[in-house]
Every structure is written in structure tokens, then in C-alpha cells.
Amino acid sequence: KYIAAYEEFAKTVIDRDTSIISVVSTHKNEENLILGSLLLGDSKIGNKIILSPRHPYRKEEIETTLKSLNINYTSIENTSIREFIAGDYNLLLVCELGYVKQILSASSVVIMGGSFIPNIGGHNVLEPAACSLPIITGSFCENFQEIVDNMLEEGALIICEANQLSESMKNIAKSGSSLGLKARQHLDKHVKQAYDFIEEIAHWARQSQKLCE
């Protein structure tokens, strides 16, 4: 049901001719690194960016960064995601809670923050995987190291440094939808394994209960 909710929203919100780079769960000093790299490069996959920091209280600080980078932006308080997609702004700043589903549903690719600077440890890459989205994470992802390593081995995400983002975007553009599909396949496989494991435990629990009767 959770995954279906993303897919249903996507049918109504996405303009299929508009590509969106969503930069999510960023921390202090990451916005400048990530956005600076994207602006310097030639990222054909996306001509619009949704920026959703991990901590909404950092809004004023982030707006200062956006102005210093001369980015034409608006915020979620002033426009909806639908209006942003159809409008002329290059970046939508989302410093409010409760927009994860809408952001992922509108995305063409997700850059996962908390992983491009040390001492944060990265954030959960499985949410964008549920939406079959190409995922880029930085190398500082020790909080989710096993998941990231497994997905990397299966070709289901990209790990890079901030100054390599433009090149990673070009690689995603060349690969089409394959990276996102591999991410979803990885998630589906491990969800099935988890259900099978739980069912096995439940089976033996039932058997043990019968023996005790």
C-alpha cells in the first residue's frame, strides 16, 4: 500500500517532459557542495531541482546559500510541487515536514544527503528505491553501509563525491531507467526475503505450540 501510494500520486503530479533532481536530507555545508557541482556541470537529466534539507529550521541559512549561487528559487510555502513543475523557477526549497511522498513521486533522480560530508553517516536509500528512482549517495554512508554496498554490487545505485555529481548525472542519463529499476528490484528481493524469514519463524512457532498442547 505504501509503494502504491507513491505510484498513484506520481500519475497526477509528474509532467513527463520535465526532469527533476531531488536533493534530500541534506545537512549543513552540503547544499553548497552539491548545488555548486550541479551548476558547474552539464546535468542533462534535470532542469529543475527540489531541495529538501534534513532539518527545516535551517531555511534562512540555506536561502543565503541559494542567493550566493544566484539560483532562481521559490519555497513550498509559496507554491505547490505541481505549480513548481509547470513554472519558471529552477529550484523548489522544501523546509517543511510531510512532503517526502510528493517529492519522490515528482523525482527523476534522487541525491541522498548526509553522505557527502563526514560524521553524519548517510540516510535511508530504500525510500527512493521503492519509487524505482536512480539514486546517488556520497561515500560517507556508514549508517547504511551494508544496504549501500549490496545495492552498489547489484548496480542499483551510484556512489560518488560531490565534485563528481555532474559526471554521475551524465551516466544516469545514458543508462535510462535501468538504474532505478535495479533499485526497485533490490528492494523487492529483500522484502520477499524478509517475509519468507518471518513466515519461517511463524511456522516453527506454530509447530512448537502444537508440541506444547
Side-chain angles (χ1 to χ4, degrees), residues 6 9 13 50 81-82 98-107:
Y6 284 107
F9 188 88
V13 75
I50 298 177
I81 291 178
R82 291 178 177 85
Y99 283 91
V100 173
K101 185 188 299 183
Q102 293 94 323
I103 291 170
L104 294 183
S105 294
S107 301

Side-chain angles (χ1 to χ4, degrees), residues 114-129:
S115 60
F116 292 92
I117 55 175
N119 303 319
I120 304 296
H123 293 296
N124 186 8
V125 295
L126 294 180
E127 283 185 319

Side-chain angles (χ1 to χ4, degrees), residues 43 154 162 171 199:
S43 304
E154 295 173 13
N171 292 335
E199 181 56 35

Side-chain angles (χ1 to χ4, degrees), residues 69-121:
L69 292 170
N70 198 29
I71 295 175
N72 180 28
Y73 78 94
T74 186
S75 63
I76 197 68
E77 295 93 336
N78 301 321
T79 188
S80 69
I81 291 178
R82 291 178 177 85
E83 291 168 339
F84 166 69
I85 291 173
D88 296 326
Y89 289 102
N90 300 120
L91 184 144
L92 175 65
L93 178 60
V94 182
C95 286
E96 291 188 13
L97 301 176
Y99 283 91
V100 173
K101 185 188 299 183
Q102 293 94 323
I103 291 170
L104 294 183
S105 294
S107 301
S108 305
V109 59
V110 170
I111 299 174
M112 185 60 65
S115 60
F116 292 92
I117 55 175
N119 303 319
I120 304 296

Side-chain angles (χ1 to χ4, degrees), residues 7 15 28 52 56 59 89 98 106 123 143 155 160 162 171 174 201:
E7 294 169 342
D15 174 354
K28 184 178 177 65
S52 179
K59 183 182 178 185
Y89 289 102
H123 293 296
N143 291 344
C160 71
N171 292 335
K174 291 175 184 176
I201 293 174

Side-chain angles (χ1 to χ4, degrees), residues 16-210:
R16 296 297 179 183
D17 294 326
T18 302
S19 296
I20 308 291
I21 301 172
S22 289
V23 183
V24 301
S25 292
T26 52
H27 290 251
K28 184 178 177 65
N29 297 324
E30 278 193 308
E31 292 87 11
N32 191 57
L33 286 173
I34 294 170
L35 296 176
S37 179
L38 293 176
L39 290 173
L40 286 172
D42 184 20
S43 304
K44 293 297 185 184
I45 195 169
N47 51 20
K48 286 178 176 283
I49 298 171
I50 298 177
L51 174 61
S52 179
R54 187 70 172 181
H55 302 119
Y57 66 80
R58 297 183 51 241
K59 183 182 178 185
E60 289 188 11
E61 169 197 331
I62 294 168
E63 287 186 317
T64 299
T65 297
L66 297 178
K67 290 172 184 175
S68 71
L69 292 170
N70 198 29
I71 295 175
N72 180 28
Y73 78 94
T74 186
S75 63
I76 197 68
E77 295 93 336
N78 301 321
T79 188
S80 69
I81 291 178
R82 291 178 177 85
E83 291 168 339
F84 166 69
I85 291 173
D88 296 326
Y89 289 102
N90 300 120
L91 184 144
L92 175 65
L93 178 60
V94 182
C95 286
E96 291 188 13
L97 301 176
Y99 283 91
V100 173
K101 185 188 299 183
Q102 293 94 323
I103 291 170
L104 294 183
S105 294
S107 301
S108 305
V109 59
V110 170
I111 299 174
M112 185 60 65
S115 60
F116 292 92
I117 55 175
N119 303 319
I120 304 296
H123 293 296
N124 186 8
V125 295
L126 294 180
E127 283 185 319
C131 296
S132 303
L133 291 171
I135 304 162
I136 300 176
T137 183
S139 58
F140 299 101
C141 48
E142 55 270 21
N143 291 344
F144 298 88
Q145 196 67 59
E146 184 176 358
I147 293 172
V148 169
D149 287 347
N150 288 339
M151 291 182 71
L152 183 65
E153 185 176 343
E154 295 173 13
L157 57 66
I158 292 174
I159 296 179
C160 71
E161 302 303 322
N163 61 7
Q164 299 170 321
L165 280 170
S166 181
E167 190 62 32
S168 294
M169 288 295 178
K170 292 177 183 178
N171 292 335
I172 289 174
K174 291 175 184 176
S175 68
S177 61
S178 64
L179 188 66
L181 291 175
K182 287 179 181 178
R184 176 63 179 267
Q185 289 166 0
H186 170 88
L187 177 62
D188 289 344
K189 179 178 70 175
H190 287 276
V191 167
K192 182 180 184 303
Q193 288 174 348
Y195 278 124
D196 289 346
F197 180 67
I198 292 170
E199 181 56 35
E200 184 72 12
I201 293 174
H203 168 75
W204 287 110
R206 290 191 294 268
Q207 295 300 315
S208 297
Q209 184 177 15
K210 289 180 181 179

